[in-house]
Amino acid sequence: MDSQKEALQRIISTLANKNDEIQNFIDTLNHTLKGVQENSSNILSELDEEFDSLYTILDEVKESMVNSIKQEQARKSQELQSQLSQCNNALENSEELLEFATRSLDIKEPEEFSKAARQIKDRVTMASAFRLSLKPKVSDNMTHLMVDFSQERQILQTLKFLPVPKAPEIDPVECMVADNSVTVAWRMPEEDNKIDHFILEYRKTNFDGLPRVKDERCWELVDHIKGTEYTLSGLKFDSKYMNFRVRACNKAVAGEFSDPVTLETKALNFNLDGSSSHLNLKVEDTCVEWDPTGGKGQDSKIKGKENKGSVHVTSLKKHTRSGTPSPKRTSVGSRPPAVRGSRDRFTGESYTVLGDTAIESGQHYWEVKAQKDCKSYSVGVAYKTLGKFDQLGKTNTSWCIHVNNWLQNTFAAKHNNKVKALDVTVPEKIGVFCDFDGGQLSFYDASSKQLLYSFKTKFTQPVLPGFMVWCGGLSLSTGMQVPSAVRTLQKSENGMTGSTGSLNTVAQ
């Protein structure tokens, strides 16, 4: 009966996952169909604009050529009209002189005839008809303004859609996720020397597999990538996965996107639990500050939250939407999450605040930076059972390093009310590495990755990040992977920490 029930549960889980996958695909198809309609309309509008631009250019060129022909016609006509007018005047004068000379032949008196002959000779000498050029200044030829658009017509007949680059192919094997950076590598399916650059798009998601159309964050873009590899650095891994896609661009147009690739980007994300912090601490997400006024305003806000029951400690577990663990996702723990507000508020001299996320398995890393004028603070982990009067490091359920800048400067590791002085400089920012399964809690200089101190123990309960602060403040950096340098140091650390044995115990 139990085995059949388990088998049925697996079938139900498989069906639910498949239904979810199909629904996502239906959403993708609908989104794509809508995109086809919108993009087709946009392309048609752009096509009309391009042809209208061509028509405008042709009209402008035609108008310019027509004007040139008309100007040439006017110039030649003016030249010929002027020459024609001069010729008409010369002909009129010549005809008048011819008539006068003909009449002079009938003169009988010698003196009058001689006088007329001299006048005719003088007039002939001065006559414009004999000074005229009888060659037209311009010809009627207009062939220099003729056109032949046969080549242009051939060019127009070759008009076609732009050549579009093919979709690149992202190579998951060459992609790398490390040190809160993601390197994405891709290649073209065939060589294309016309590619000018690439566009990489990415977005965070909590779903494995194909990107989802609904309930997702917007794609972010990196443009003008010249190579076939790009590294996004300084990321906060506050989602389980990231989707990536890339497209190639030539000088004119962008091609299709590659098939999307989903890469896992798991890291510990937590905020500070203001519902159980000491009243003298002002807590806001990843910052805590000493508040000598008693935090009354904060207390009233927290009580309102507690009454609503809206704040809970998040257990680091990974589930599918149906609630069944996915075989592709590693569970960080198997115990149920603790509920925020279920523990008493720290009081007395325990100026403590815990993280809101329980660590139940795996390796995790976060960083802490203190204000420059902070007089006293502690950084470490504690079991959820840490008492409301208990101070970090003074019980067998908490481990920490403590910095004191009041009266005298001290830097020490603390556990079970035992103290180990640390002969190193207090760094500006402290990195905390917790290997729950390996029973190791190590502290590093976050910048140089120098090991400050390492506890060796066996965690028998889930632990919470813990912090104590007095007269100052702390700020946290979460959503961080375990740095590669820390992983490397872990391989050799066991042989370097023999001096910490006095503080290494198994807490019950």
Side-chain angles (χ1 to χ4, degrees), residues 58-242:
L58 288 173
D59 287 340
E60 291 174 352
V61 171
K62 179 182 177 182
E63 183 179 0
S64 175
M65 287 183 166
V66 167
N67 288 336
S68 296
I69 293 172
K70 288 181 177 180
Q71 289 171 4
E72 182 71 353
Q73 177 188 4
R75 184 186 70 81
K76 286 194 171 186
S77 297
Q78 185 178 1
E79 289 283 355
L80 292 173
Q81 287 288 357
S82 175
Q83 196 173 12
L84 183 61
S85 176
Q86 292 174 3
C87 287
N88 284 332
N89 291 334
L91 179 60
E92 183 179 347
N93 293 333
S94 180
E95 286 177 345
E96 182 185 351
L97 181 59
L98 176 61
E99 183 181 354
F100 176 67
T102 303
R103 288 197 310 270
S104 297
L105 289 175
D106 296 331
I107 297 175
K108 302 298 184 180
E109 290 293 331
E111 286 185 13
E112 290 183 8
F113 181 81
S114 297
K115 182 181 178 179
R118 286 195 300 271
Q119 288 179 347
I120 291 170
K121 182 180 178 181
D122 293 339
R123 289 180 65 180
V124 167
T125 303
M126 300 298 295
S128 58
F130 293 96
R131 296 196 304 271
L132 282 177
S133 170
L134 298 182
K135 179 181 178 182
K137 290 184 177 180
V138 294
S139 71
D140 61 353
N141 182 30
M142 298 289 282
T143 56
H144 62 289
L145 294 176
M146 293 182 65
V147 296
D148 178 9
F149 291 147
S150 56
Q151 290 185 348
E152 287 77 5
R153 279 195 295 270
Q154 289 179 359
I155 293 174
L156 289 173
Q157 288 168 352
T158 61
L159 291 178
K160 57 185 178 181
F161 297 110
L162 290 169
V164 179
K166 292 189 176 182
E169 298 172 352
I170 297 179
D171 187 354
V173 177
E174 295 298 323
C175 296
M176 185 173 65
V177 180
D179 297 322
N180 284 80
S181 299
V182 179
T183 299
V184 184
W186 59 88
R187 59 176 175 267
M188 294 300 296
E190 59 186 46
E191 187 176 351
D192 186 349
N193 56 13
K194 293 185 178 180
I195 290 177
D196 180 69
H197 65 277
F198 295 91
I199 297 174
L200 174 67
E201 292 192 356
Y202 64 95
R203 66 180 178 185
K204 298 177 180 180
T205 178
N206 286 316
F207 298 101
D208 194 2
L210 294 174
R212 295 171 180 257
V213 174
K214 294 183 177 180
D215 304 323
E216 284 290 358
R217 308 183 195 185
C218 294
W219 290 97
E220 297 185 59
L221 180 147
V222 181
D223 203 350
H224 302 294
I225 302 172
K226 292 298 184 179
T228 56
E229 179 180 296
Y230 191 82
T231 299
L232 294 164
S233 56
L235 298 170
K236 180 175 181 179
F237 287 166
D238 51 3
S239 64
K240 297 178 183 178
Y241 303 93
M242 288 182 70

Side-chain angles (χ1 to χ4, degrees), residues 131-409:
R131 296 196 304 271
L132 282 177
S133 170
L134 298 182
K135 179 181 178 182
K137 290 184 177 180
V138 294
S139 71
D140 61 353
N141 182 30
M142 298 289 282
T143 56
H144 62 289
L145 294 176
M146 293 182 65
V147 296
D148 178 9
F149 291 147
S150 56
Q151 290 185 348
E152 287 77 5
R153 279 195 295 270
Q154 289 179 359
I155 293 174
L156 289 173
Q157 288 168 352
T158 61
L159 291 178
K160 57 185 178 181
F161 297 110
L162 290 169
V164 179
K166 292 189 176 182
E169 298 172 352
I170 297 179
D171 187 354
V173 177
E174 295 298 323
C175 296
M176 185 173 65
V177 180
D179 297 322
N180 284 80
S181 299
V182 179
T183 299
V184 184
W186 59 88
R187 59 176 175 267
M188 294 300 296
E190 59 186 46
E191 187 176 351
D192 186 349
N193 56 13
K194 293 185 178 180
I195 290 177
D196 180 69
H197 65 277
F198 295 91
I199 297 174
L200 174 67
E201 292 192 356
Y202 64 95
R203 66 180 178 185
K204 298 177 180 180
T205 178
N206 286 316
F207 298 101
D208 194 2
L210 294 174
R212 295 171 180 257
V213 174
K214 294 183 177 180
D215 304 323
E216 284 290 358
R217 308 183 195 185
C218 294
W219 290 97
E220 297 185 59
L221 180 147
V222 181
D223 203 350
H224 302 294
I225 302 172
K226 292 298 184 179
T228 56
E229 179 180 296
Y230 191 82
T231 299
L232 294 164
S233 56
L235 298 170
K236 180 175 181 179
F237 287 166
D238 51 3
S239 64
K240 297 178 183 178
Y241 303 93
M242 288 182 70
N243 301 139
F244 297 89
R245 64 185 185 184
V246 65
R247 66 199 308 190
C249 305
N250 54 31
K251 291 288 187 182
V253 69
E256 291 279 353
F257 278 109
S258 65
D259 289 336
V261 168
T262 300
L263 301 178
E264 188 176 27
T265 55
K266 63 179 181 179
L268 175 64
N269 284 276
F270 67 90
N271 288 327
L272 297 174
D273 180 10
S275 67
S276 61
S277 63
H278 194 286
L279 285 177
N280 282 111
L281 298 181
K282 180 180 178 182
V283 176
E284 292 182 4
D285 293 336
T286 58
C287 295
V288 56
E289 191 170 354
W290 167 258
D291 183 6
T293 64
K296 293 179 180 179
Q298 177 194 3
D299 186 33
S300 61
K301 291 180 182 178
I302 293 169
K303 284 183 178 178
K305 290 183 179 180
E306 288 173 348
N307 291 335
K308 292 179 181 179
S310 60
V311 187
H312 300 280
V313 169
T314 309
S315 178
L316 295 181
K317 295 183 179 180
K318 299 180 183 287
H319 297 285
T320 62
R321 295 175 72 181
S322 63
T324 306
S326 167
K328 294 183 180 179
R329 305 177 190 176
T330 22
S331 173
V332 176
S334 57
R335 302 176 180 86
V339 179
R340 284 173 67 178
S342 62
R343 62 163 295 120
D344 293 331
R345 182 182 294 280
F346 288 101
T347 188
E349 295 185 356
S350 180
Y351 303 116
T352 303
V353 59
L354 300 177
D356 64 0
T357 301
I359 298 174
E360 302 180 344
S361 65
Q363 297 180 342
H364 308 281
Y365 180 84
W366 61 96
E367 294 180 351
V368 185
K369 183 177 182 180
Q371 294 177 354
K372 290 185 178 180
D373 58 349
C374 189
K375 291 184 178 179
S376 179
Y377 63 92
S378 298
V379 177
V381 299
Y383 288 162
K384 302 176 189 179
T385 56
L386 185 68
K388 65 179 182 179
F389 294 104
D390 294 338
Q391 299 179 27
L392 288 179
K394 290 192 174 183
T395 68
N396 67 341
T397 60
S398 62
W399 300 256
C400 73
I401 57 173
H402 175 72
V403 178
N404 179 51
N405 295 319
W406 184 57
L407 298 181
Q408 60 179 356
N409 295 335

Side-chain angles (χ1 to χ4, degrees), residues 37-50:
Q37 294 168 345
E38 292 178 352
N39 292 336
S40 297
S41 177
N42 293 336
I43 290 297
L44 285 173
S45 297
E46 290 180 6
L47 185 66
D48 284 339
E49 290 178 4
E50 288 294 327

Side-chain angles (χ1 to χ4, degrees), residues 180 268 270 286 364-370 379 428-433 443-449 467 474-483 486:
N180 284 80
L268 175 64
F270 67 90
T286 58
H364 308 281
Y365 180 84
W366 61 96
E367 294 180 351
V368 185
K369 183 177 182 180
V379 177
E428 182 179 350
K429 184 181 285 189
I430 295 173
V432 184
F433 170 75
F443 300 89
Y444 293 88
D445 181 327
S447 298
S448 67
K449 299 301 182 289
F467 310 89
L474 303 174
S475 59
L476 315 183
S477 298
T478 67
M480 304 182 70
Q481 288 186 304
V482 178
V486 171

Side-chain angles (χ1 to χ4, degrees), residues 404-429:
N404 179 51
N405 295 319
W406 184 57
L407 298 181
Q408 60 179 356
N409 295 335
T410 59
F411 187 25
K414 291 185 175 183
H415 170 63
N416 201 20
N417 211 23
K418 295 180 181 179
V419 179
K420 172 71 175 179
L422 304 180
D423 189 20
V424 291
T425 302
V426 178
E428 182 179 350
K429 184 181 285 189

